[in-house]
Amino acid sequence: MLFNFLETISSSMLLIAGIILFTGFYAGQAAKKIQLPSIIGFMIIGLLLGPSGCNLLNENIQESFSFITEVALGFVAFSIGLELSLVSLKSQGWGIILIILAESFCAFIVVALGVYFLTGSAVLGLTFGALAPASAPAGTVAVIQEYRARGSLTKALYAVVGFDDGLAIIIFGFAAAMVRILLQKEMPGSGGIGFWTAMISPLREIGMSVVFGVVLALVLCLLLRKIRKGPDLLIMVAAVVFIINGLCFLFHLSLIMTNMLIGLVIVNTQRTELVEKIGEQLSNVMPLFFVLFFALAGANLHISELPKLGILGIVYIACRTTGLMGGAALGATIGRSEPKLRKYVGLGILSQAGVAIGLALIIKHDFHGIGKVISGAGAEEVTAGDELGAIVITTVTATCIFFEVIGPICTKYALSKAGEIQSSALDQ
C-alpha cells in the first residue's frame, strides 16, 4: 500500500518539488537551531527521500530533476564570478594565487603518493591524485551566503573555489593522459598513445569554455546597460545562464568555469551599482535553488556505499584533507597573507561532490576496454581500465558522503573563527 502510494506521488514532479521545498525548509531551520549550516538539513531530507530512505527520489526521478542541479551550479558559478573583482584580488596580493596553486598541487601530490604507497600502483596513485583538487563550490557559497559572511577570508574562499576547479580540470587532463599511456603500454602489441594527443580534449574544454564565457559576457554587458529594474536584470541573467548551460552540454564544456567567467567580466567592467543590483536579485532566488540542489545531492548519498569505503577511501580522505589544508597554509605563508587566511582558508574548501564524481565517470567511460585483460574472455573480458573505473567510482562516491557533510560544517567553523559571520545571521 505504501509502495503504491509513493509510486503514485513519484508521477508528479511538481508534487515532489513541493515536498522537497516544504520539508527542506523545516529541516534547514532545525539544523540552524543546533548551530549547523541549513544545507546539512537539506541533505538529510534528500537522504531520507532518496534510495537510502523511502526511495521517493529514486534514480529516475533524480534524472528528471538533473536540470535543477545544472541550473543551480550555473547560478553558483555566476555568483562566484561576481565576487572576483580584480581590484579586490590585487589587494590580496600574490598570496591568493599562491594559495590556489599550492592547495591544488599539494592535494594532487599528497593523495597520489599516499595511494601509491598503499597500493603500489602508479595508475591508482595518479588517478586519485587527479581527483583530489576538485572541490564543490556550491557548499562553500551556500554557507557564505546563509551567514552573510564578509571579510578577507570570505573573499579568499570565493576566489579559491572559483579558480581551483579550472586548475583541477587541467591537472586531471595531464594526469589522465599519463594514466592512459601507462595502461596502453601494458596492452600486448600496442604502440600506446602520445601525451599531447591525450591532452587535446581537456585543453579544448578549457579553451572553449573561456571563449564562450567571455563572448557571452560581453553580449550580456551590452544588454544590461539598457536595463534598470532589478527583476528585469534577473530575467536577463537567468536567460544567459540557461543558454550557457545548454551550450556547455552540447559542446562538453566546463559549466562552472564558463558561468564564472561571465560573472567575472561583469564585475570588472560594469558600474558598481549594476553589480550590486544583480547580486541583490540573485540573493532572492539562490535559497530556492539551494534547497532543491542539496536535497538532490543528499538523495545521491547512498549509505550502502559507506561499508565499501575501505582502507583506500580512508587514505584518500586523510591525504586529500592534509593536502588541501597544508597546501593552502603553505601558499598563504609564502605569499605573506594575513594570519587568519593561513589558519582557516583550508578548512573552507574541503567539500567535494559533483565535479569529482563527474571526473570519476569520465575515467570509467574513457578507460573502458583499455589496458591488459584482467579476467574473462571475449565480450565478457574485464581490462585494467574497467577495474580502475569500478574502483574509482565506488571510492569517490563513498568519500563524497564524508566531504559533503563535513565540508559545510568546517566552512562555517572557519568563517566563525575568523570573525566574518554577521551576528544578525546567527540570530535568525
Side-chain angles (χ1 to χ4, degrees), residues 118-167:
L118 174 68
T119 64
S121 169
V123 166
L124 280 174
L126 282 171
T127 302
F128 279 99
L131 295 172
S135 63
T140 301
V141 172
V143 174
I144 289 173
Q145 293 193 358
E146 177 181 351
Y147 294 104
R148 298 197 291 273
R150 292 289 182 271
S152 56
L153 177 61
T154 301
K155 292 178 181 178
L157 288 177
Y158 269 122
V160 173
V161 299
F163 286 112
D164 75 348
D165 268 339
L167 184 55

Coordinates of all heavy atoms in Angstrom, one line a residue, residues 118-167:
L118 N 50.2 2.9 -0.6 CA 49.3 1.9 -0.1 C 49.1 0.8 -1.1 O 49.1 -0.4 -0.7 CB 47.9 2.6 0.1 CG 46.8 1.6 0.5 CD1 47.0 1.1 1.9 CD2 45.4 2.3 0.5
T119 N 49.0 1.1 -2.4 CA 48.7 0.1 -3.3 C 49.8 -0.4 -4.2 O 49.8 -1.5 -4.8 CB 47.6 0.6 -4.3 OG1 48.1 1.7 -5.0 CG2 46.3 1.0 -3.5
G120 N 50.9 0.4 -4.3 CA 52.0 0.1 -5.2 C 51.7 0.3 -6.6 O 52.4 -0.1 -7.5
S121 N 50.6 1.0 -6.9 CA 50.1 1.2 -8.3 C 50.2 2.7 -8.7 O 49.6 3.5 -8.1 CB 48.7 0.7 -8.5 OG 48.1 1.2 -9.7
A122 N 51.1 3.0 -9.7 CA 51.2 4.3 -10.2 C 49.9 4.8 -10.8 O 49.6 6.0 -10.8 CB 52.4 4.4 -11.1
V123 N 49.2 3.9 -11.5 CA 47.9 4.2 -12.1 C 46.9 4.7 -11.1 O 46.3 5.7 -11.3 CB 47.4 3.0 -12.9 CG1 46.0 3.2 -13.3 CG2 48.3 2.8 -14.2
L124 N 46.7 3.9 -10.0 CA 45.8 4.3 -9.0 C 46.2 5.6 -8.3 O 45.4 6.5 -8.0 CB 45.7 3.2 -7.9 CG 44.7 2.1 -8.3 CD1 44.8 1.0 -7.2 CD2 43.3 2.5 -8.5
G125 N 47.5 5.8 -8.1 CA 48.0 7.0 -7.4 C 47.8 8.2 -8.3 O 47.2 9.2 -7.8
L126 N 48.1 8.2 -9.6 CA 47.8 9.3 -10.4 C 46.3 9.6 -10.6 O 45.9 10.8 -10.6 CB 48.4 9.0 -11.8 CG 49.9 9.2 -12.0 CD1 50.4 8.7 -13.3 CD2 50.3 10.6 -11.8
T127 N 45.5 8.6 -10.7 CA 44.1 8.8 -10.8 C 43.5 9.5 -9.6 O 42.7 10.5 -9.8 CB 43.4 7.4 -11.1 OG1 44.0 6.8 -12.3 CG2 41.9 7.6 -11.3
F128 N 43.7 8.9 -8.5 CA 43.1 9.5 -7.3 C 43.7 10.9 -7.0 O 43.1 11.8 -6.5 CB 43.3 8.6 -6.1 CG 42.2 7.5 -6.0 CD1 42.5 6.2 -6.5 CD2 41.0 7.8 -5.6 CE1 41.6 5.2 -6.5 CE2 40.0 6.8 -5.5 CZ 40.3 5.5 -6.0
G129 N 45.0 11.1 -7.3 CA 45.6 12.4 -7.1 C 45.0 13.4 -8.0 O 44.8 14.6 -7.6
A130 N 44.6 13.0 -9.2 CA 44.0 13.9 -10.2 C 42.6 14.3 -9.7 O 42.1 15.4 -10.1 CB 43.9 13.2 -11.6
L131 N 41.9 13.5 -9.0 CA 40.5 13.8 -8.5 C 40.6 14.7 -7.2 O 39.6 15.4 -7.0 CB 39.8 12.5 -8.1 CG 39.5 11.6 -9.3 CD1 38.9 10.3 -8.8 CD2 38.5 12.2 -10.3
A132 N 41.7 14.7 -6.5 CA 41.7 15.4 -5.2 C 41.5 16.9 -5.3 O 40.8 17.4 -4.4 CB 43.0 15.1 -4.5
P133 N 42.1 17.6 -6.2 CA 41.9 19.1 -6.2 C 40.5 19.6 -6.5 O 40.1 20.7 -6.1 CB 42.8 19.6 -7.3 CG 43.8 18.5 -7.5 CD 43.0 17.2 -7.3
A134 N 39.6 18.8 -7.1 CA 38.3 19.2 -7.4 C 37.5 19.5 -6.2 O 37.5 18.7 -5.3 CB 37.6 18.2 -8.3
S135 N 36.8 20.6 -6.2 CA 36.0 21.0 -5.0 C 34.5 21.1 -5.4 O 34.2 21.0 -6.5 CB 36.5 22.3 -4.4 OG 36.3 23.4 -5.3
A136 N 33.7 21.3 -4.4 CA 32.3 21.6 -4.6 C 31.9 23.0 -4.2 O 31.6 23.2 -3.0 CB 31.4 20.5 -3.8
P137 N 32.0 23.9 -5.1 CA 31.8 25.3 -4.7 C 30.4 25.7 -4.1 O 30.3 26.6 -3.3 CB 32.1 26.1 -6.0 CG 31.8 25.1 -7.1 CD 32.3 23.8 -6.5
A138 N 29.4 24.9 -4.5 CA 28.1 25.2 -4.0 C 28.0 25.1 -2.5 O 27.3 26.0 -1.9 CB 27.1 24.2 -4.6
G139 N 28.6 24.2 -1.9 CA 28.6 24.1 -0.4 C 29.2 25.3 0.3 O 28.6 25.8 1.2
T140 N 30.4 25.7 -0.2 CA 31.1 26.8 0.4 C 30.3 28.1 0.2 O 30.1 28.9 1.1 CB 32.5 27.0 -0.2 OG1 33.2 25.8 0.0 CG2 33.2 28.2 0.4
V141 N 29.8 28.3 -1.0 CA 29.0 29.5 -1.4 C 27.7 29.6 -0.6 O 27.3 30.6 -0.1 CB 28.7 29.6 -2.9 CG1 27.8 30.8 -3.2 CG2 30.0 29.8 -3.6
A142 N 27.0 28.4 -0.4 CA 25.8 28.4 0.4 C 26.0 28.8 1.8 O 25.2 29.6 2.4 CB 25.2 27.0 0.3
V143 N 27.1 28.4 2.4 CA 27.4 28.7 3.8 C 27.7 30.2 3.9 O 27.2 30.9 4.8 CB 28.5 27.9 4.4 CG1 28.9 28.4 5.8 CG2 28.1 26.4 4.4
I144 N 28.5 30.7 3.0 CA 28.9 32.1 3.0 C 27.6 33.0 2.9 O 27.5 34.0 3.6 CB 29.8 32.5 1.8 CG1 31.2 31.8 2.1 CG2 30.0 34.0 1.6 CD1 32.2 32.0 0.9
Q145 N 26.7 32.7 2.0 CA 25.5 33.5 1.7 C 24.5 33.3 2.9 O 23.8 34.3 3.3 CB 24.9 33.1 0.4 CG 25.7 33.5 -0.8 CD 25.0 33.4 -2.1 OE1 23.8 33.0 -2.2 NE2 25.7 33.7 -3.2
E146 N 24.4 32.1 3.5 CA 23.5 31.9 4.6 C 23.8 32.8 5.8 O 23.0 33.4 6.4 CB 23.5 30.5 5.0 CG 22.6 30.2 6.2 CD 22.6 28.8 6.6 OE1 23.1 27.9 5.9 OE2 22.0 28.5 7.7
Y147 N 25.1 32.9 6.1 CA 25.6 33.7 7.2 C 26.1 35.1 6.9 O 26.6 35.8 7.7 CB 26.7 32.9 8.0 CG 26.2 31.6 8.6 CD1 26.5 30.4 8.0 CD2 25.4 31.6 9.7 CE1 26.0 29.2 8.5 CE2 24.9 30.4 10.3 CZ 25.2 29.2 9.7 OH 24.7 28.1 10.2
R148 N 25.8 35.4 5.6 CA 26.2 36.8 5.1 C 27.6 37.2 5.5 O 27.9 38.3 6.1 CB 25.2 37.8 5.6 CG 23.8 37.6 5.1 CD 22.9 38.8 5.3 NE 22.6 39.1 6.7 CZ 21.6 38.5 7.3 NH1 20.8 37.7 6.7 NH2 21.3 38.9 8.6
A149 N 28.5 36.2 5.3 CA 29.9 36.5 5.7 C 30.6 37.6 4.9 O 30.3 37.7 3.7 CB 30.7 35.1 5.6
R150 N 31.4 38.3 5.5 CA 32.1 39.4 4.9 C 33.5 39.5 5.5 O 33.7 39.4 6.7 CB 31.4 40.8 5.1 CG 30.1 40.9 4.4 CD 30.3 41.0 2.8 NE 29.0 41.2 2.2 CZ 28.2 40.2 1.7 NH1 28.6 38.9 2.0 NH2 27.1 40.4 1.1
G151 N 34.5 39.7 4.6 CA 35.9 39.9 5.1 C 36.9 39.3 4.1 O 36.5 38.7 3.1
S152 N 38.2 39.3 4.5 CA 39.2 38.8 3.6 C 39.2 37.3 3.4 O 39.5 36.8 2.3 CB 40.6 39.2 4.2 OG 40.8 38.8 5.5
L153 N 38.8 36.6 4.4 CA 38.7 35.1 4.3 C 37.6 34.8 3.3 O 37.7 33.9 2.5 CB 38.5 34.4 5.6 CG 38.3 32.9 5.6 CD1 39.5 32.2 5.0 CD2 37.9 32.4 7.0
T154 N 36.5 35.5 3.5 CA 35.3 35.2 2.5 C 35.7 35.5 1.1 O 35.4 34.7 0.2 CB 34.1 36.1 2.9 OG1 33.8 35.9 4.3 CG2 33.0 35.9 2.0
K155 N 36.4 36.6 0.9 CA 36.9 36.9 -0.5 C 37.9 35.8 -1.0 O 37.8 35.4 -2.2 CB 37.6 38.3 -0.5 CG 36.6 39.5 -0.3 CD 37.4 40.8 -0.2 CE 36.4 41.9 0.0 NZ 37.2 43.2 0.1
A156 N 38.7 35.4 -0.1 CA 39.7 34.4 -0.5 C 39.0 33.0 -0.9 O 39.4 32.4 -1.8 CB 40.7 34.1 0.6
L157 N 38.0 32.7 -0.1 CA 37.2 31.4 -0.4 C 36.5 31.5 -1.7 O 36.5 30.5 -2.5 CB 36.2 31.2 0.8 CG 36.8 30.7 2.1 CD1 35.7 30.5 3.1 CD2 37.6 29.4 1.9
Y158 N 35.9 32.7 -2.0 CA 35.3 32.8 -3.3 C 36.3 32.6 -4.4 O 36.0 31.9 -5.4 CB 34.7 34.2 -3.4 CG 33.2 34.4 -3.0 CD1 32.9 35.3 -2.0 CD2 32.2 33.6 -3.6 CE1 31.6 35.4 -1.6 CE2 30.9 33.8 -3.2 CZ 30.6 34.6 -2.2 OH 29.3 34.8 -1.8
A159 N 37.5 33.2 -4.3 CA 38.5 33.1 -5.3 C 39.0 31.7 -5.4 O 39.1 31.1 -6.6 CB 39.6 34.0 -5.0
V160 N 39.2 31.0 -4.3 CA 39.8 29.7 -4.3 C 38.8 28.7 -5.0 O 39.2 27.9 -5.9 CB 40.2 29.2 -2.9 CG1 40.7 27.8 -2.9 CG2 41.4 30.1 -2.4
V161 N 37.6 28.6 -4.5 CA 36.6 27.7 -5.0 C 36.2 28.0 -6.4 O 35.8 27.1 -7.2 CB 35.4 27.5 -4.1 CG1 35.7 27.1 -2.7 CG2 34.6 28.9 -4.1
G162 N 36.4 29.3 -6.8 CA 36.1 29.6 -8.2 C 37.2 29.2 -9.2 O 36.9 28.6 -10.2
F163 N 38.4 29.4 -8.8 CA 39.5 29.1 -9.8 C 40.1 27.7 -9.6 O 40.7 27.2 -10.6 CB 40.7 30.1 -9.6 CG 40.4 31.5 -10.1 CD1 40.2 32.6 -9.3 CD2 40.2 31.7 -11.5 CE1 39.9 33.8 -9.7 CE2 39.9 33.0 -12.0 CZ 39.8 34.0 -11.1
D164 N 40.0 27.1 -8.5 CA 40.6 25.8 -8.3 C 40.0 24.7 -9.1 O 40.6 23.7 -9.5 CB 40.8 25.4 -6.9 CG 39.6 24.9 -6.2 OD1 38.5 25.1 -6.8 OD2 39.7 24.4 -5.1
D165 N 38.7 24.8 -9.5 CA 38.0 23.8 -10.3 C 38.6 23.9 -11.7 O 38.8 22.8 -12.4 CB 36.5 24.0 -10.4 CG 35.8 23.2 -9.3 OD1 36.4 22.2 -8.8 OD2 34.7 23.5 -9.0
G166 N 38.9 25.1 -12.2 CA 39.6 25.2 -13.5 C 41.0 24.6 -13.5 O 41.3 23.8 -14.4
L167 N 41.7 24.8 -12.4 CA 43.0 24.2 -12.3 C 42.9 22.7 -12.1 O 43.7 22.0 -12.6 CB 43.7 24.9 -11.1 CG 45.2 24.4 -10.8 CD1 46.1 24.6 -12.1 CD2 45.8 25.2 -9.6

